[in-house]
Amino acid sequence: LAGVLAAALRPGEHALLTRAAAGEPRTVIAAWLGITPAAAAKRLERLRHRLATVAQAHAAAAPAADRVAIHRFLVRAGVPGVDPTLSPR
């Protein structure tokens, strides 16, 4: 899954995710990108959504045991659109 997500990143997105994951303030991220804090927040939101879609597509095509493990990971990570009450089959 990590390799699939890494392959889905565009130039600069890994650094953006790393900064956000490290808790860097949106104002600092925005200044680094040369955009407003609201635009930086929206960019991160869109990136997270895109990566969640990639992860779910990968899980759907994976063997059953892998689907269960990926589903559990996505639930723990709080990925939007992943129903924690459903067990993938």
Side-chain angles (χ1 to χ4, degrees):
L1 178 60
V4 169
L5 294 176
L9 292 174
R10 297 177 186 136
E13 289 179 338
H14 184 271
L16 175 59
L17 286 175
T18 300
R19 287 172 174 246
E24 197 163 297
R26 297 291 184 265
T27 53
V28 174
I29 292 172
W32 170 66
L33 292 170
I35 58 179
T36 67
K42 189 54 136 177
R43 188 175 291 185
L44 279 165
E45 177 186 334
R46 288 179 180 150
L47 176 56
R48 288 181 180 129
H49 177 74
R50 184 166 51 85
L51 291 178
T53 300
V54 169
Q56 290 177 26
H58 176 72
D66 291 345
R67 277 197 308 273
V68 171
I70 292 169
H71 182 264
R72 287 181 183 152
F73 169 76
L74 296 176
V75 169
R76 281 194 318 268
V79 173
V82 177
D83 188 344
T85 63
L86 296 178
S87 178
R89 296 175 196 245

